[in-house]
Amino acid sequence: MNKNIDIKTLVRPNIERLSPYTSARDEYKGKEGVFLDANENPFGVVNRYPDPYQKELKEVICNIKNGKTSQLFLGNGSDEAIDLAYRIFCEPKRDKAIVFSPTYGMYEVYANINEVELIDIPLDGNFQIDIEKVTPYFKDPQVKLLFICSPNNPTGNLINRETIFTLLNQFKGIVIIDEAYIDFSNEPSWISEIERYNNLIVLQTLSKGWGMAGLRIGMAWMKEEVLYYFNKVKSPYNLSSINQEAAIKQLSDIALFNSNINVLLEERTRMINELNKLSITKFIYSSNANYLLVEFEEADQLYKALINQEIIVRNRSKVVDNALRISIGLPSENTKLLNALKNIENEKESIIYR
Ligand SMILES: *Cc1c(COP(=O)(O)O)cnc(C)c1O
């Protein structure tokens, strides 16, 4: 099935009407020249404004990801794209968005910032989407956005492909699939479906698999007609030239990327095996990402005990009972965590048996 939604009808009227800032560099595309157009200072080291459309970086990314530069938005982290999606499509105090919890917290934070009502539909016992619970909301034209995080943070699992197709086919708003952890999974990206679904936005990032979280560079893939609005609304120079250059450099070493991913995947397997040997481990959720969601005995206490040893994991026990989310680190860091857990377990046993 193909989907061709009238995107214009989803866009906030003020954004439709908006005449965007045209930067000096929008008007002259050449690289050479005497640039006296942008009030830059001719002295200084990073004295020139960066390319507002990040053309060179986009080409490098598209070569790796098999995408089209004409369908790629780059943001100051993919978080920027999440915020922009609310600002483009959701009228504050009127429009709504759907999320499936437990999931990535920023969907809610940006909804709150933009005064957009969030419809929070809990995932089922296997952390999958229950279609029956979602479709009734599709009758409401004020529901503009639907977020699917796959692999899901913090649970680590993929969302069923057939379910996502059903949602894509039935929902008349914008479907955002967040693939922040796609590099750790064998699942194909949804980028290839953008041609068929003009209401699909796929988020990816250089923060996780590529190890560039400090650079703040996120991708959002979408049809040209949707990208038009992202470019209209974004800050003109949203990615610094230093960050663009650093990313281009790091993206050139695919062999290193692959070997780092392999190390992390091997470490993930080792951590699963070792954690399963501990009696304080209750359950390890299967993961397609670079973290494990683990159910422990008394997670809050364990979390504090680890903090005391300067080992910091993410306490998710408020969203999944007794669960800690553990990022896969360097082999030596993972070993430190395992040793700390073993010591905590031994202390516990010695107290019980004393
Ligand atoms: C980390 C993360 C992001 C944020 O990525 P940035 O590009 O660093 O902003 C987005 N979505 C999910 C699910 C994440 O876990």
Side-chain angles (χ1 to χ4, degrees):
M1 185 165 153
N2 277 338
K3 191 88 173 258
N4 208 12
I5 286 194
D6 187 359
I7 299 296
K8 253 189 180 177
T9 63
L10 297 173
V11 173
R12 291 169 64 200
N14 65 313
I15 302 299
E16 186 59 54
R17 285 193 306 268
L18 177 78
S19 44
Y21 177 76
T22 52
S23 74
R25 295 295 137 82
D26 279 335
E27 284 159 20
Y28 179 79
K29 308 274 183 210
K31 273 201 162 178
E32 307 299 323
V34 178
F35 288 102
L36 305 174
D37 58 345
N39 295 349
E40 293 153 335
N41 185 323
F43 305 109
V45 189
V46 201
N47 60 324
R48 296 295 175 187
Y49 279 109
D51 173 5
Y53 299 108
Q54 308 101 9
K55 285 185 278 304
E56 197 182 340
L57 176 55
K58 281 182 184 171
E59 262 159 40
V60 173
I61 290 174
C62 284
N63 277 337
I64 294 169
K65 298 270 181 184
N66 267 331
K68 291 185 183 171
T69 53
S70 63
Q71 298 182 340
L72 177 57
F73 168 83
L74 293 182
N76 186 12
S78 48
D79 285 353
E80 183 185 358
I82 298 170
D83 185 32
L84 288 184
Y86 281 111
R87 289 162 62 193
I88 292 166
F89 297 107
C90 297
E91 199 60 39
K93 298 184 185 172
R94 195 196 73 177
D95 289 337
K96 303 167 196 170
I98 295 176
V99 296
F100 303 97
S101 64
T103 192
Y104 184 50
M106 290 310 287
Y107 311 142
E108 184 175 354
V109 172
Y110 285 123
N112 290 340
I113 290 171
N114 291 293
E115 292 210 75
V116 173
E117 185 187 321
L118 210 60
I119 300 161
D120 186 345
I121 301 175
L123 293 167
D124 70 14
N126 298 316
F127 298 134
Q128 289 297 327
I129 294 170
D130 182 350
I131 290 275
E132 312 268 282
K133 285 191 184 155
V134 194
T135 46
Y137 293 103
F138 291 176
K139 292 189 200 96
D140 182 349
Q142 283 162 7
V143 178
K144 294 289 190 66
L145 303 179
L146 182 148
F147 287 91
I148 301 167
C149 189
S150 181
N152 187 38
N153 180 1
T155 58
N157 62 296
L158 291 159
I159 302 297
N160 188 305
R161 262 191 112 68
E162 285 312 305
T163 308
I164 296 181
F165 269 120
T166 307
L167 295 172
L168 270 171
N169 285 322
Q170 294 193 11
F171 184 49
K172 295 191 172 58
I174 301 286
V175 175
I176 299 176
I177 303 180
D178 188 343
E179 297 183 342
Y181 298 96
I182 189 81
D183 298 324
F184 301 101
S185 148
N186 294 322
E187 194 77 352
S189 167
W190 285 88
I191 291 178
S192 54
E193 296 299 325
I194 280 166
E195 287 298 340
R196 296 208 298 157
Y197 295 93
N198 74 338
N199 63 332
L200 170 62
I201 297 176
V202 179
L203 302 179
Q204 296 180 340
T205 178
L206 298 184
S207 297
K208 308 286 164 54
W210 280 95
M212 303 186 216
L215 294 186
R216 310 302 306 123
I217 298 177
M219 292 92 95
W221 304 86
M222 62 196 90
K223 284 284 270 203
E224 287 82 350
E225 60 193 293
V226 186
L227 185 68
Y228 164 77
Y229 294 103
F230 277 73
N231 283 334
K232 202 174 177 186
V233 169
K234 82 180 187 77
S235 298
Y237 305 112
N238 59 329
L239 286 198
S240 83
S241 53
I242 292 187
N243 291 359
Q244 292 184 50
E245 281 160 27
I248 289 168
K249 207 167 158 197
Q250 226 172 303
L251 285 163
S252 69
D253 201 341
I254 307 265
L256 180 65
F257 164 78
N258 285 329
S259 92
N260 288 344
I261 295 277
N262 283 338
V263 170
L264 293 172
L265 294 181
E266 278 166 22
E267 282 295 296
R268 186 175 78 192
T269 306
R270 178 172 77 99
M271 291 300 283
I272 293 170
N273 292 336
E274 294 301 312
L275 287 167
N276 265 327
K277 292 178 190 162
L278 302 175
S279 68
I280 52 170
T281 303
K282 290 291 155 210
F283 189 75
I284 303 174
Y285 292 91
S286 79
S287 171
N288 286 273
N290 64 334
Y291 51 85
L292 294 171
L293 187 72
V294 186
E295 190 189 324
F296 290 102
E297 273 176 8
E298 297 165 337
D300 291 334
Q301 236 176 307
L302 184 58
Y303 172 77
K304 282 180 202 139
L306 289 172
I307 291 274
N308 285 339
Q309 300 184 49
E310 296 183 334
I311 296 175
I312 302 98
V313 298
R314 188 89 157 113
N315 189 352
R316 298 279 75 186
S317 64
K318 285 199 180 68
V319 287
V320 179
D321 264 355
N322 274 312
L324 302 182
R325 193 194 65 195
I326 300 170
S327 304
I328 306 298
L330 290 171
S332 59
E333 294 173 323
N334 302 330
T335 301
K336 261 191 198 160
L337 169 68
L338 288 170
N339 288 339
L341 290 172
K342 279 175 204 158
N343 289 337
I344 292 166
E345 179 170 280
N346 288 340
E347 269 167 40
K348 252 192 169 172
E349 278 168 0
S350 67
I351 291 166
I352 293 168
Y353 296 122
R354 200 175 291 153

